Amino acid sequence: NTIACDGDGGSVRRASCFFPRFPTGMSLIPRAAPAASMAFAGRDPAVISLLKMLPLLLLLTFSSAAAPPAAASPSAVHNNNWAVLVCTSRFWFNYRHMANTLSLYRTVKRLGIPDERIILMLADDMACNPRNNYPAQVFNNENHQLNLYGDNVEVDYRGYEVTVENFLRVLTGRHESAVPRSKRLLSDEGSHILLYMTGHGGDEFLKFQDNEELQSHDLADAVKQMKEKHRFKELLIMVDTCQAATLFSQLQSPGVLAIGSSMKGENSYSHHLDSDIGVSVVDRFTFHTLAFFEKLNMYSNASLNSLFNSYDPSMLLSTAYYRMDLYKRALNEVMERYIYF
Amino acid sequence: ARALMMPPSTARRLCFLSLLLLLLLLAAAASATADAAAAEEFTEELLLRPLPDRKALAHFHFRSSAPPASAAGRHHHLFPKAISQLVQKFHISELELSFTQGRWNYEQWGGYDPMSTNNAKPPGVELWAIFDLPLAEIDATWKNLTHTLSGLFCASINFLESSTAFSAPRWGFKLNEGNLRYGALPREAVCTENLTPWLKLLPCRDKAGIASLLYRPSVYKGYYHSQKLKLKSSQSLGIILDQTLTVVLQPNTVSGKQLHSTGGQLQPSWSMEHLFSKKLSGKCLVSKSSRVFVEIEKGIVDNVDKAGSDVSSNNDLFVLSTAPDRSLKELDNLEVQSSSLYEYDVNNYNSDKPLNVGITWKLPLIWSCTRAPYHASRFLMGSGNERGSIAMSFLSTGLDKQLVDSSNDCSIKAVVFQVVPWYVKVYYHSLEVFIDGNSKAISEVVDKIHVTPSEDKLLPGTMEMLLKFPCSMQLATLTLDFDKGFLHIDEYPPDANQGFDIPSALVSFPEFNSSRSYPEADPLFVSPLLENFKEDGVVKSYTEVLLVPLTTPDFSMPYNVITFTCTVLALYFGSLLNALRRRIGEEERGLKKLLLGNCNLHCFSLNLKC
């Protein structure tokens, strides 16, 4: 029953982290045994001394809770959802990465997150690319049933703007003053954020536009800063690249759930080639994730556990990896709270 | 006491009067706000025109106007609030922002009419703005404006913030007192995400009215599409916002491939449904007027006249699918009939009886659109990664100047405005002019020139020139030499091997006016589209964007250098340590000792003598 001190500057500052043990050898936080024997208060000298210290204890916990105004209460209520969707690849042969990101964009919009709460970063323009036989249309399936680009897409960061610097600025909220609101992640301590990244990656890195890399410790530092600034209540990171699981190896902040499409040493593969467009149109991991989400609507009660169980390594040709140790709730209790509320 | 006490009837009358006064005040206030709100107007128009090379032009025009802020306050019911906030925050008096993909084909689609003058824009993004501020504050305001516009229109307009990306022309672009800033991004992609916020500025968006025709795959499949936002703001007139979308499409019809009995090929017959896969089922209910125009160019009208027929909507050459509500004929200077417009009022149509304007050709017809006096184009010369030349050519199109006769002093003026990025270091002293193949002195041709030379990593090079060409000239060429600069490794874009762009140059002909006037039958209402046509505008054309390949470093060099260096260091230190620490004799002695030791043990165990 020991109380852990959140080394990450977690949302609760516990009294025991700040105050040393009393000379009597008794800590300020009562342990289970004396509390249980409160009924025999009259007779137990330890309990008597505890009772004397109780008002002091109460005073201290309240003051510690009140003192830092920025400290969120441990029960910050979930009241908004955000999505940050990043496609880091440019050039026509990486069409599938754009289609991955746009598929998630469409899903997230369909299930209730409005454009104002979505930051979409696309490193290249596929829909109006001169090589696209179907202008203003992006497909993730060779049956061309679904036009992912639609009529109302809003892209926040385009082309050369998708850089590691801008990505980290979006996550941490440290922008120049002139940057408009639509390009900022304006989340708060009640936000659930979905962060989806796709592109080419490797052992502990993700490649941005064939020019720079985002390393796993960069990502972990940015998430740590987000946690310090109370920019999220829970964060779900989904990455669809080769060796995606290595990107999460440095994460330490609580409230983070990470899903990667493959383990260290494994590649993530594309799903199928569209002979009409001429390139692969979707990746396997995203294809199966979408297959799961297409069966849902805003009122469904599916849980993240069922999402995980739907991944079949033989279909993905890689092992989907999820990191749950930083996440406090049991997964079968988590409804798809990221998508609606 | 008696004086103080008022008789009850007077008191009642007073009460009634004060109530009446209060009511009047309220009514006045209500009517004032109603007036102010009613003064906000929105009109939508669509112009369709067949083009000589078997394509069709569709030009959407939306105008929103708001009265001056002092009258209406900050409440808008039709005018987009985002724009009025933009104007107030950045003190803009005029602004134009265009997103274009494709190149306007001046040879086939015309260069003399108001459509090509106002709506033929350079590829990518072009932004210029005139600010109502002291000159020292304009650069900082421009920077903030570019960021705000980038957030508003989902484009990377924020790249225009740095001083290397924009320039301040004085007379080459538009005459101003130093409060104009101009910037262009030639490589900016234009797609649905730019159209979405643009449509959200309209009161009916794309749900009703003319904007509901915008089927995105049709718009982006065109040969040219350009969406433009033009703002004009003044204290007296308020804010006028013009949003236009110009699309050149290829109608995909069967009849277009038929051969006529006379042997020629018929122009394709098309309708709105062929172009946009939709019909127009009603107007935007808050619009003051909603009209569709079909423009029949002078070239076609001349052919119809020649065929002896009367220019109506149904004649020997073509027939319009729906009878127009009105027809307007352009009157030029000589009162000769030029182009004609057929007007449809969308108010008369609804979802039960949708409007589907179309044209069907009866006889094969070839015509041409009036062109600008010179066809201006630009190209690169030279090879290698060290230097090159920019060449600009002016090819006469045979347009007779009105004042021409055989006078020797006849000359045609042309104004050239060009911005070149700093890494293309132009030597302005190397300007050479060739007229009809003969080299001429600069002073003979260049009347006025203003150059802002580029500074490395600080300023682009701006050139504004006023040229005078003799009327009889067929071809003029200007050349400028340049050196290619080096960029820092961080300044290269991710696809550096594609090359770097020099934005389009603007060539305008100040003596030629591209305005057209159509007499309005309805004196109460002036169509904003026709009003724009009537505005005095000089004929102008944009040249091509130039792609300059620059030296790119080997981007794998850092990796290579590290590998080489580490190998060399490893070899050096390894050998050094080896040389210092290794004792050759010691090893052998050590080995012998080991062997002897083993031997002794062995001997002892075997009771042998070693």
Side-chain angles (χ1 to χ4, degrees):
Chain A
N1 199 29
T2 50
I3 308 298
C5 295
D6 282 320
D8 264 336
S11 49
V12 175
R13 313 281 169 90
R14 307 231 185 228
S16 59
C17 300
F18 290 92
F19 296 95
R21 286 171 165 264
F22 263 61
T24 54
M26 209 174 204
S27 76
L28 288 175
I29 311 295
R31 289 193 213 113
S37 58
M38 204 78 93
F40 308 99
R43 279 181 253 160
D44 194 343
V47 177
I48 292 167
S49 51
L50 171 71
L51 282 175
K52 279 190 213 153
M53 277 189 288
L54 203 57
L56 184 64
L57 161 74
L58 284 169
L59 185 69
L60 285 167
T61 39
F62 279 131
S63 66
S64 74
S73 63
S75 55
V77 175
H78 164 216
N79 51 25
N80 58 71
N81 294 318
W82 282 82
V84 178
L85 309 171
V86 184
C87 166
T88 61
S89 303
R90 93 171 3 244
F91 304 125
W92 177 248
F93 51 82
N94 290 320
Y95 183 101
R96 61 187 185 282
H97 297 141
M98 204 72 56
N100 288 348
T101 317
L102 287 168
S103 312
L104 256 292
Y105 174 75
R106 182 190 169 267
T107 303
V108 148
K109 250 174 106 161
R110 182 175 68 86
L111 293 174
I113 303 187
D115 267 315
E116 293 83 52
R117 298 258 173 92
I118 302 177
I119 307 265
L120 180 59
M121 301 174 76
L122 297 180
D124 201 355
D125 170 47
M126 295 297 163
C128 294
N129 195 308
R131 282 167 140 157
N132 191 2
N133 223 0
Y134 298 90
Q137 290 161 290
V138 174
F139 303 114
N140 66 352
N141 201 312
E142 60 179 349
N143 59 23
H144 295 184
Q145 292 283 347
L146 197 54
N147 172 18
L148 298 172
Y149 225 58
D151 281 349
N152 281 319
V153 62
E154 286 186 19
V155 182
D156 300 298
Y157 286 85
R158 281 220 293 194
Y160 297 143
E161 284 179 289
V162 178
T163 56
V164 174
E165 182 192 338
N166 281 344
F167 172 69
L168 295 176
R169 281 183 188 277
V170 164
L171 285 187
T172 55
R174 293 161 67 176
H175 296 278
E176 283 179 29
S177 54
V179 171
R181 283 176 69 89
S182 61
K183 284 173 138 176
R184 294 182 190 232
L185 179 62
L186 301 167
S187 56
D188 54 21
E189 67 259 15
S191 302
H192 282 185
I193 305 181
L194 166 67
L195 170 61
Y196 175 81
M197 295 189 282
T198 180
H200 290 289
D203 195 358
E204 309 255 344
F205 70 90
L206 174 62
K207 206 160 64 151
F208 266 66
Q209 297 208 47
D210 217 4
N211 201 21
E212 8 169 47
E213 289 160 4
L214 174 77
Q215 305 207 332
S216 55
H217 55 254
D218 291 328
L219 182 63
D221 285 344
V223 173
K224 206 187 264 195
Q225 275 194 51
M226 286 175 84
K227 194 70 196 177
E228 285 281 344
K229 292 172 159 184
H230 306 289
R231 282 168 69 75
F232 67 90
K233 181 168 188 277
E234 287 173 13
L235 173 65
L236 168 61
I237 308 181
M238 285 178 81
V239 177
D240 186 355
T241 67
C242 301
Q243 305 190 55
T246 55
L247 202 64
F248 315 133
S249 57
Q250 311 283 334
L251 284 175
Q252 289 164 10
S253 314
V256 176
L257 185 62
I259 306 176
S261 60
S262 50
M263 306 279 297
K264 180 175 161 111
E266 286 180 354
N267 290 336
S268 290
Y269 295 96
S270 63
H271 191 261
H272 63 267
L273 173 78
D274 182 340
S275 38
D276 198 356
I277 294 183
V279 282
S280 304
V281 287
V282 72
D283 278 334
R284 285 180 180 257
F285 175 75
T286 309
F287 182 85
H288 288 104
T289 308
L290 286 178
F292 177 83
F293 278 114
E294 282 295 311
K295 296 186 214 128
L296 299 181
N297 59 35
M298 270 207 287
Y299 309 101
S300 305
N301 271 347
S303 70
L304 275 177
N305 223 8
S306 44
L307 174 65
F308 294 152
N309 293 337
S310 74
Y311 292 137
D312 178 6
S314 60
M315 298 295 286
L316 289 180
L317 301 181
S318 62
T319 319
Y321 163 83
Y322 32 96
R323 185 173 170 176
M324 305 179 312
D325 54 315
L326 299 166
Y327 197 67
K328 292 189 174 60
R329 285 195 281 161
L331 283 175
N332 55 8
E333 289 167 23
V334 178
M335 305 304 182
E336 295 299 326
R337 301 298 295 234
Y338 288 94
I339 308 296
Y340 68 100
F341 54 95
Chain B
R2 252 200 75 149
L4 286 173
M5 251 174 45
M6 280 191 297
S9 59
T10 322
R12 219 182 299 140
R13 211 182 298 150
L14 215 62
C15 192
F16 176 67
L17 276 171
S18 59
L19 201 66
L20 194 64
L21 194 65
L22 191 67
L23 276 168
L24 277 170
L25 275 170
L26 279 171
S31 71
T33 49
D35 272 341
E40 272 188 16
E41 277 174 18
F42 173 72
T43 50
E44 51 177 22
E45 279 145 330
L46 169 63
L47 183 134
L48 298 166
R49 186 213 283 184
L51 293 172
D53 58 349
R54 316 175 63 73
K55 300 187 173 69
L57 172 86
H59 175 78
F60 294 80
H61 182 108
F62 304 99
R63 175 176 285 196
S64 291
S65 61
S70 48
R74 287 163 193 250
H75 300 290
H76 300 284
H77 83 286
L78 286 182
F79 195 82
K81 188 168 183 188
I83 300 294
S84 70
Q85 282 181 332
L86 198 82
V87 169
Q88 273 164 22
K89 184 170 178 199
F90 298 117
H91 304 276
I92 297 174
S93 56
E94 242 183 287
L95 179 142
E96 194 177 290
L97 171 63
S98 67
F99 297 82
T100 312
Q101 195 151 34
R103 205 171 63 82
W104 182 266
N105 190 342
Y106 289 99
E107 295 107 311
Q108 294 279 354
W109 305 339
Y112 202 88
D113 53 301
M115 183 70 65
S116 51
T117 299
N118 295 331
N119 299 302
K121 288 280 158 195
V125 165
E126 192 202 47
L127 171 68
W128 62 265
I130 298 183
F131 297 93
D132 189 18
L133 285 171
L135 294 180
E137 292 172 31
I138 291 185
D139 282 344
T141 317
W142 167 267
K143 175 180 169 181
N144 290 335
L145 175 66
T146 54
H147 275 279
T148 310
L149 287 174
S150 121
L152 191 52
F153 289 103
C154 297
S156 314
I157 302 173
N158 50 319
F159 288 150
L160 289 177
E161 63 168 343
S162 71
S163 56
T164 54
F166 67 88
S167 64
R170 294 304 292 264
W171 47 268
F173 183 74
K174 211 172 145 81
L175 194 59
N176 66 88
E177 301 103 37
N179 51 359
L180 176 130
R181 295 290 182 272
Y182 174 91
L185 291 171
R187 212 188 278 187
E188 189 66 17
V190 180
C191 206
T192 315
E193 65 262 23
N194 302 115
L195 193 59
T196 308
W198 188 91
L199 284 172
K200 284 189 180 169
L201 299 176
L202 301 173
C204 287
R205 308 213 172 164
D206 59 341
K207 305 294 176 208
I210 289 180
S212 62
L213 285 174
L214 289 170
Y215 180 53
R216 312 293 191 265
S218 294
V219 171
Y220 292 103
K221 205 192 290 200
Y223 286 80
Y224 172 87
H225 62 87
S226 170
Q227 73 187 65
K228 195 172 76 157
L229 188 112
K230 189 167 163 66
L231 260 190
K232 239 187 219 157
S233 152
S234 65
Q235 296 289 7
S236 49
L237 292 172
I239 310 177
I240 300 177
L241 173 69
D242 275 340
Q243 287 175 255
T244 62
L245 176 66
T246 312
V247 196
V248 172
L249 301 164
Q250 174 91 64
N252 192 13
T253 56
V254 177
S255 68
K257 303 193 176 57
Q258 285 170 352
L259 283 174
H260 195 257
S261 51
T262 58
Q265 196 175 33
L266 268 182
Q267 291 274 335
S269 305
W270 48 262
S271 69
M272 268 162 41
E273 203 173 355
H274 285 121
L275 296 179
F276 303 111
S277 318
K278 288 180 202 178
K279 299 184 200 177
L280 193 51
S281 51
K283 71 171 203 170
C284 171
L285 293 172
V286 291
S287 69
K288 185 168 169 197
S289 96
S290 178
R291 302 186 194 184
V292 176
F293 297 95
V294 176
E295 185 180 359
I296 301 295
E297 280 280 285
K298 180 179 193 305
I300 307 177
V301 168
D302 287 346
N303 271 305
V304 171
D305 275 341
K306 239 189 287 176
S309 165
D310 159 52
V311 185
S312 69
S313 67
N314 188 347
N315 55 49
D316 291 337
L317 286 183
F318 66 86
V319 60
L320 297 178
S321 59
T322 325
D325 298 321
R326 242 180 350 156
S327 77
L328 304 159
K329 298 187 190 338
E330 181 205 350
L331 299 170
D332 66 4
N333 300 347
L334 307 170
E335 299 290 318
V336 168
Q337 204 232 299
S338 289
S339 55
S340 51
L341 279 182
Y342 297 101
E343 184 186 312
Y344 299 82
D345 191 352
V346 186
N347 221 353
N348 304 336
Y349 299 89
N350 50 37
S351 47
D352 297 323
K353 191 177 71 134
L355 174 60
N356 187 15
V357 176
I359 187 167
T360 312
W361 299 93
K362 293 186 189 166
L363 290 174
L365 182 59
I366 297 176
W367 76 98
S368 60
C369 296
T370 328
R371 297 167 62 181
Y374 293 108
H375 174 66
S377 78
R378 200 173 59 158
F379 50 93
L380 283 173
M381 299 197 315
S383 66
N385 278 339
E386 213 181 318
R387 61 183 75 93
S389 294
I390 301 177
M392 206 178 304
S393 77
F394 297 85
L395 184 64
S396 170
T397 56
L399 182 79
D400 291 325
K401 197 176 170 192
Q402 303 294 57
L403 318 171
V404 165
D405 274 290
S406 39
S407 104
N408 280 342
D409 294 344
C410 169
S411 64
I412 299 184
K413 283 197 203 153
V415 177
V416 174
F417 166 61
Q418 181 171 255
V419 180
V420 177
W422 68 264
Y423 38 81
V424 174
K425 300 181 215 204
V426 174
Y427 293 109
Y428 293 102
H429 73 276
S430 62
L431 175 66
E432 281 180 11
V433 183
F434 299 88
I435 295 197
D436 289 329
N438 303 320
S439 172
K440 298 277 182 201
I442 304 293
S443 48
E444 273 181 49
V445 181
V446 178
D447 235 16
K448 196 159 82 151
I449 182 167
H450 179 253
V451 163
T452 310
S454 61
E455 281 178 49
D456 275 6
K457 300 185 211 255
L458 280 179
L459 284 179
T462 314
M463 179 176 80
E464 303 164 69
M465 264 196 313
L466 173 61
L467 301 162
K468 254 196 184 139
F469 296 126
C471 294
S472 53
M473 177 194 88
Q474 289 300 315
L475 171 67
T477 318
L478 282 81
T479 56
L480 277 171
D481 294 337
F482 66 84
D483 270 355
K484 297 187 188 180
F486 283 113
L487 292 172
H488 191 258
I489 190 165
D490 293 338
E491 292 167 351
Y492 283 98
D495 52 353
N497 289 301
Q498 186 179 2
F500 294 76
D501 299 296
I502 301 181
S504 296
L506 174 67
V507 177
S508 45
F509 303 99
E511 296 155 329
F512 294 83
N513 196 333
S514 70
S515 66
R516 273 192 194 175
S517 71
Y518 293 89
E520 271 287 346
D522 184 0
L524 290 172
F525 174 69
V526 182
S527 145
L529 182 65
L530 299 182
E531 210 181 280
N532 278 352
F533 279 8
K534 220 190 299 189
E535 250 175 37
D536 272 341
V538 296
V539 171
K540 45 187 202 249
S541 57
Y542 284 92
T543 63
E544 297 88 341
V545 171
L546 296 177
L547 189 62
V548 178
L550 291 185
T551 345
T552 49
D554 182 354
F555 291 105
S556 64
M557 264 322 274
Y559 167 77
N560 292 342
V561 166
I562 293 171
T563 316
F564 279 137
T565 318
C566 288
T567 310
V568 166
L569 284 174
L571 285 173
Y572 171 69
F573 279 109
S575 329
L576 190 67
L577 283 170
N578 218 7
L580 289 175
R581 282 289 302 138
R582 196 177 171 191
R583 305 267 185 267
I584 297 178
E586 202 175 281
E587 254 183 44
E588 285 177 2
R589 268 178 262 135
L591 201 59
K592 240 191 237 170
K593 233 192 244 176
L594 200 65
L595 282 171
L596 279 172
N598 273 350
C599 204
N600 281 337
L601 212 65
H602 203 67
C603 291
F604 186 68
S605 63
L606 291 176
N607 288 327
L608 288 172
K609 192 161 174 208
C610 295

